[in-house]
Amino acid sequence: MTRSDARPARRWRALLLSGLFTALVVLLSFGMGRYPIAPGEVMRILWQIVSGQFDVATASEAARVLYYIRLPRIILAALTGVALAGAGTLFQGMFRNPLVSPDVLGVSSGAALGAAIGILMPMGGTIQLWAFASGVAAVALTYGIARATRGQSVVMLVLAGMVVSAFFSAALSFLKYVADPYEQLPTIVFWLMGGFHRASWQAVGSLLLTVIPGAVLLLLTSWKLNILSLGDEEALSLGVNVRVLRPLLIAAATLMVAGAVSVTGTISWVGLVVPHIARMLAGADHDRSMPVAMLFGAGFMLLMDDLARSLTTAEIPVGILTSAIGAPFFGYLLITGRREAWR
Amino acid sequence: MAITAESVRFGYRGTEVIRGASFAVPEGAITCLLGRNGSGKTTLIRLVNGILRPQSGSIRIGDLDVLQSPRPAVARQVAFVPQEHQGVFPYGVEELVVMGRNPHLGLIARPGAADREAARAAMETVGIAHLAERDYMEISGGERQLVLIARALTQETPYLLMDEPTSHLDFTNQHAIMSIVRRITRERGVGVLVAMHDPNLALAFADRVIMLREGRVFRAGPAAEVMTPENLQTLYEMPIDVVGLPDGRRLILTEER
């Protein structure tokens, strides 16, 4: 076999590997938890749901646990993984920087402040709505500041993102300071730690609306991301309209991430680590690494949530786990990883 | 057909860099852009490429008005070879070369068999077909420059812009690269505008020369007519001799011995 055949083969191998991993984790997730359900039983109930035989009135307890609790939670975690890994891959490529995560333009700090506002102020609107709107507003502010500097380079965007993140974090600290320490402050702190315990079919519905269109756009344009990753001058010379494509992709990624973190709270490291793993599996070409990142991100997020709800009797906030496991795992990859990661 | 610029003016934040430049770059020839650091060579190339917009004046590539045309249309007329490519991702050589097909592909399209064939043909042309599966970051500086030229050829444009494409290369590679560029102009009729620092290299390879001084075209024309000691002395602001050898070659010398 010549090496020119190796690249497409590698693409399918990487997709297959991450697909198998995610499928395995999904099956595992259905059965695991405080109310264990045997794999055979899981299959039977899933078939009931898929074939339309599921009926609340007559359903068994296991079927109801699966339908109302596990299934929405699994979908939520998977979609969050897709959003974070997809946006991370996009931003690392677009900003030509291995240290970039989906938070780089301020979406997480924005969502956190919005959630705190939603918790503190009886102004109406759900916490989720406040978090989403504030996350999007933070990125819009970042983009506006970068535009106002007339800076041509993407460095301006990253710097503006730091400015906005710092400001929103300060505002969040202020809100924590003035919050009622017995009722509101714990709510804010737990929201910030992130978790999928807020999963419901309603949350899944809103996440489908924000994550799926963005994910589709990112997948469709993933080859163009290669060209964006060459830097503005070369991308323009190769006929990419950077000034249209870049804000379009940033908007898509922002909707995805804001949609996810407005339900789940802050979840760090996934959007930073998974794109690196995807590149190690699939290679540098974003056309290959983007789908692998999304698929693997879904499985990784789900596995973290499985651990979060089964390691101890009380649920551990998943944001703690993603950092506690993601950070050393990333260190391990840096030491043993192949050249495909970064140089 | 030619690239034609008329009374182009451009400045960065109040400092005028290009102060009314008019010139033409014909097809099928190498046009060398000479001038000192800060004379506006790079700016001029970026203006022709449509990456910068002049404050006044016009730039046309054949019938195409660069200022009024969408990016892909410009990129189908003119390709750009940077001084060097600062890669972040370890793309394979062929992966990088096939990116030259981008202006011919829509927003969600991927390169197909025909596009990869074009990339392979371009790699054959510059003699790097054997590097196709190598990692861009693993090959030598000279080979990297050939990859960037192959990528530009894959764009299949009638014009090529090069910004000091040889300034990072050793003596041998400088000549190898320029020989390949000359062959492309002869065989394919491509018009090349190349900014260059070494006047001897220009003397060896230029068909035409544009001398840029303080943002203005100071002299322009066939290399043989323009590359005189007087013009070079004014351009580089130092004493310069042009020596003719018996076999017809010429050499630019400075005072040092």
Side-chain angles (χ1 to χ4, degrees), chain B residues 69-148:
Chain B
S69 307
R71 276 318 306 168
V74 176
R76 284 192 291 268
Q77 292 301 313
V78 61
F80 172 65
V81 177
Q83 194 169 3
E84 64 178 337
H85 165 69
Q86 294 283 1
V88 180
F89 296 93
Y91 294 121
V93 165
E94 190 181 329
E95 280 173 347
L96 206 56
V97 171
V98 85
M99 291 184 201
R101 294 307 295 167
N102 185 63
H104 303 278
L105 298 169
L107 179 66
I108 62 172
R110 271 85 172 139
D115 300 308
R116 279 192 294 274
E117 195 43 54
R120 279 190 207 112
M123 288 189 284
E124 295 274 354
T125 303
V126 301
I128 54 162
H130 60 290
L131 299 176
E133 293 300 317
R134 290 281 295 281
D135 182 338
Y136 179 79
M137 312 236 184
E138 288 174 358
I139 60 179
S140 73
E143 290 168 341
R144 288 184 189 194
Q145 209 56 36
L146 290 174
V147 171
L148 297 180

Side-chain angles (χ1 to χ4, degrees), chain A residues 219-220 229 234 288 342, chain B residues 88 91 95 102 110 133 151:
Chain A
L219 286 172
L220 287 176
S229 81
E234 286 186 45
R288 287 182 273 142
W342 285 93
Chain B
V88 180
Y91 294 121
E95 280 173 347
N102 185 63
R110 271 85 172 139
E133 293 300 317
R151 188 180 73 189

Side-chain angles (χ1 to χ4, degrees), chain A residues 214-223 287 290-292 294, chain B residues 108 110:
Chain A
V216 169
L217 183 68
L218 258 53
L219 286 172
L220 287 176
T221 56
S222 58
W223 188 72
D287 193 21
M290 181 65 86
V292 171
M294 287 182 179
Chain B
I108 62 172
R110 271 85 172 139

